Amino acid sequence: MKIHEYQAKAILRKYGVKTPAGEVAQTPEEAAAISKRLLDEGASLPHVVKSQVLVGGRGKAGGIKLANSPDEVREVAGRILGMDIKGEIVGEVLIEQGIDIQREIYLGIILDRSRKKPVIMASAAGGVEIEQVAADTPEKILFVAVEPWIGLADFQIREIAAFIEIPKSGAKDFAAIMRGLYKAFTESDCSLAEINPLVITGDGAVITADAKMNFDDNAVGRHPAIAALRDDAAEDPLERKARELHLNYVKLDGQIGCIVNGAGLAMGTMDIVKHFGGEPANFLDIGGGAKAEQVAEALKLIVADPKVNTIFFNIFGGIVRCDLVAEGILSAIKSLPDWNTPIVIRLSGTNEEAAREMLKGTDLISAATMSEGARKAVEISKRAA
Ligand code: GDP
Ligand code: MN
């Protein structure tokens, strides 16, 4: 789960991480009022207006602008609110005191599954995407693994500070930021906590300009305050619908909608579709039951994606009986009268003969094996494209 920059900053602030003064607004009027208040409280101009969306690269997309007066903040906020940034509509802007940027640093913590430890990444090449730095100049990134039972040690903080050349004047603030970021990361069950950029200002201070926190979805349940920050509007609408229906669904970019029972088989289905030269439109595990309503909901969900031109059912009848699934599919299609997307079905396992019998004489294309089904689905999808 992801949260917005202003929410991540609010959490980090509680851990003693230095961030600029600021507040979030939903209208240009509110934005101007915040800017006035910041001025009254002594925050100098310019102020910065930052779109709050969950995708990265807002700066490049025009979603971050400086303004030199509350009136200009109003005008700039008016332009940024409602903007479409990589498919996400801006509903809120963060108004902050602008920072006098001298240097931009990257500072992040991830959970490294292979090392089974949190790993801190730091680079003096901040501001840009760290993936780019890692690809072009990996030597510019320092990786420091933290032993979870010992915690972040002072010598490690000094090692990081030296690598990214934190000036003496900012050493204390940097240590507090590093400790706070690490504590926030572990205590909130983050999969990622990132400050990019961490800024060295003209007068040698260190401050957080941008913050990002992603949480382990399996742990969000034990942090109700964090769970409450979920932004439904920023979630892919199909993925949201799937979550509401308790379907395990991940949207992908291809044309072949896959409906499968079992997560492992769903992964295998995507692989075999790719193997035959097709592109899966999704990962979908409808679970063990595969009742008619569930199948109908899954079908509706998948064809709501306009790219989908073929459906591939891959069902293994282990606990579930194939004839029941076939019945589910047939009644689901009956409940969708203007259905016209071709469907390939591979049903294998308990009562498969009975299921195949039921599908005879329908428009559904049946396949005896998984590879035959995948091959047919790819052929049909290519013809339709
Ligand atoms: P991102 O593009 O979504 O990662 O958003 P960031 O918050 O990282 O901002 C992108 C860039 O805006 C930063 O790297 C800075 O170079 C630039 N920027 C310029 N002035 C300011 C300022 O006063 N505050 C902040 N936060 N960023 C600024
Ligand atoms: Mn950033």
Side-chain angles (χ1 to χ4, degrees):
M1 183 190 130
K2 297 178 176 179
I3 58 174
H4 290 292
E5 172 193 7
Y6 76 94
Q7 298 168 322
K9 281 178 168 169
I11 293 175
L12 291 177
R13 228 173 275 140
K14 283 192 204 144
Y15 285 92
V17 173
K18 228 170 95 183
T19 61
E23 257 180 86
V24 77
Q26 291 172 340
T27 64
E29 285 314 315
E30 272 172 39
I34 292 167
S35 172
K36 269 190 208 116
R37 200 150 59 231
L38 288 175
L39 271 182
D40 289 343
E41 288 163 4
S44 58
L45 291 163
H47 292 168
V48 59
V49 181
K50 308 185 76 178
S51 55
Q52 298 297 291
V53 285
L54 298 179
V55 291
R58 296 164 300 163
K60 271 195 209 136
I64 297 177
K65 291 268 184 285
L66 294 173
N68 277 305
S69 68
D71 283 338
E72 201 183 335
V73 165
R74 180 188 297 113
E75 189 233 320
V76 170
R79 268 188 280 138
I80 293 180
L81 285 162
M83 197 184 242
D84 181 330
I85 299 185
K86 299 180 189 169
E88 233 185 282
I89 304 298
V90 180
E92 290 174 313
V93 286
L94 174 63
I95 314 301
E96 277 187 347
Q97 168 165 25
I99 307 173
D100 169 22
I101 298 181
Q102 195 195 53
R103 232 157 35 85
E104 302 194 24
I105 285 166
Y106 175 91
L107 191 62
I109 309 178
I110 50 152
L111 192 64
D112 185 323
R113 284 168 181 257
S114 56
R115 288 192 244 205
K116 303 190 176 100
K117 285 172 193 166
V119 169
I120 298 173
M121 298 179 291
S123 175
V128 290
E129 292 204 0
I130 197 68
E131 289 84 357
Q132 203 54 48
V133 182
D136 299 342
T137 48
E139 69 284 358
K140 288 191 179 165
I141 306 176
L142 175 71
F143 296 90
V144 175
V146 180
E147 187 54 59
W149 306 118
I150 296 175
L152 180 60
D154 286 348
F155 77 86
Q156 292 177 306
I157 298 178
R158 284 196 294 274
E159 182 190 0
I160 297 164
F163 185 82
I164 53 183
E165 296 173 28
I166 298 290
K168 270 216 173 69
S169 55
K172 240 179 145 176
D173 279 347
F174 176 74
I177 289 171
M178 192 65 257
R179 265 188 220 107
L181 185 66
Y182 181 76
K183 199 152 188 260
F185 175 90
T186 51
E187 287 185 2
S188 339
D189 289 310
C190 285
S191 51
L192 169 90
E194 184 182 272
I195 300 176
N196 185 27
L198 178 73
V199 164
I200 313 279
T201 64
D203 48 18
V206 185
I207 191 159
T208 300
D210 184 17
K212 185 163 151 186
M213 288 175 99
N214 296 351
F215 303 94
D216 179 344
D217 278 314
N218 295 309
V220 170
R222 59 182 188 186
H223 304 287
I226 291 168
L229 301 178
R230 190 189 287 278
D231 182 353
D232 285 342
E235 204 177 7
D236 181 278
L238 291 184
E239 291 194 352
R240 176 171 70 237
K241 183 90 181 76
R243 191 163 48 78
E244 286 162 6
L245 294 167
H246 302 289
L247 295 169
N248 292 311
Y249 170 85
V250 179
K251 192 177 172 310
L252 301 169
D253 285 330
Q255 299 78 35
I256 301 176
C258 301
I259 302 182
V260 187
N261 65 335
L265 191 58
M267 299 285 274
T269 304
M270 298 193 308
D271 283 349
I272 202 159
V273 164
K274 282 230 169 212
H275 174 77
F276 286 109
E279 288 295 332
N282 65 282
F283 167 96
L284 173 62
D285 167 17
I286 55 171
K291 291 194 217 80
E293 312 96 85
Q294 233 171 326
V295 172
E297 290 302 339
L299 277 173
K300 276 192 253 171
L301 185 82
I302 283 183
V303 290
D305 173 356
K307 279 192 183 163
V308 170
N309 62 17
T310 309
I311 305 252
F312 179 26
F313 268 94
N314 189 8
I315 303 290
F316 176 72
I319 295 166
V320 64
R321 281 165 38 196
C322 290
D323 54 329
L324 284 184
V325 177
E327 199 182 301
I329 296 171
L330 290 172
S331 82
I333 292 170
K334 230 179 262 165
S335 74
L336 305 167
D338 41 358
W339 184 267
N340 56 14
T341 311
I343 298 180
V344 177
I345 303 183
R346 175 256 182 170
L347 281 161
S348 171
T350 311
N351 290 0
E352 61 176 75
E353 299 82 4
R356 226 168 285 144
E357 214 40 54
M358 290 166 69
L359 297 180
K360 265 192 198 141
T362 68
D363 287 340
L364 309 182
I365 302 142
S366 87
T369 64
M370 184 157 155
S371 40
E372 185 191 326
R375 206 162 18 82
K376 282 185 174 168
V378 173
E379 270 171 33
I380 293 168
S381 165
K382 287 211 166 131
R383 248 183 283 137

